[in-house]
Amino acid sequence: MNFSPYSLTMLDAGPALQQGLAAIASGQTSIDLGGLNNLDSAAVATLVAWQRAAQAKGVQLQFTQVPPSLKSLAQLYGVDLLLSE
C-alpha cells in the first residue's frame, strides 16, 4: 500500500484506516508513506491502529518514506518508535 499523493486527515482517516487494515489482513507488512502530503493528528492515530492490527497478527509493520511532518507529529505524541524505518 502506498500514498501517492494522498491526504490523511480527520476527513479521510476512516477510509484510509479500512484500506490499511485490509492490506494488513491480506499479509502486507510495509506501507509506503512517501506520497503523503496533507496530514494531521488523525494520521498518527491511523498508523498506531495499523501497528496494533499488525501486532495482533504477530507481524511487524514497517513504514517507509515517512514525511518529516509525520515524524514530528509522532514524536510530539510519543509514538515515534512506531515509525522507525
Side-chain angles (χ1 to χ4, degrees):
M1 180 174 154
N2 67 16
F3 291 90
S4 69
Y6 200 84
S7 174
L8 187 48
T9 65
M10 288 190 65
L11 295 175
D12 36 43
L17 174 65
Q18 295 307 314
Q19 183 182 4
L21 292 175
I24 292 163
S26 69
Q28 188 163 337
T29 59
S30 178
I31 297 178
D32 182 351
L33 302 172
L36 193 56
N37 59 13
N38 186 27
L39 57 96
D40 63 16
S41 59
V44 176
T46 301
L47 273 56
V48 168
W50 290 341
Q51 280 288 12
R52 287 183 178 157
Q55 289 171 349
K57 282 191 63 163
V59 298
Q60 183 173 351
L61 183 63
Q62 182 175 4
F63 298 107
T64 60
Q65 298 189 52
V66 180
S69 57
L70 183 53
K71 287 181 182 180
S72 182
L73 272 177
Q75 186 174 18
L76 176 69
Y77 294 116
V79 295
D80 49 315
L81 292 178
L82 294 176
L83 301 181
S84 57
E85 294 184 69

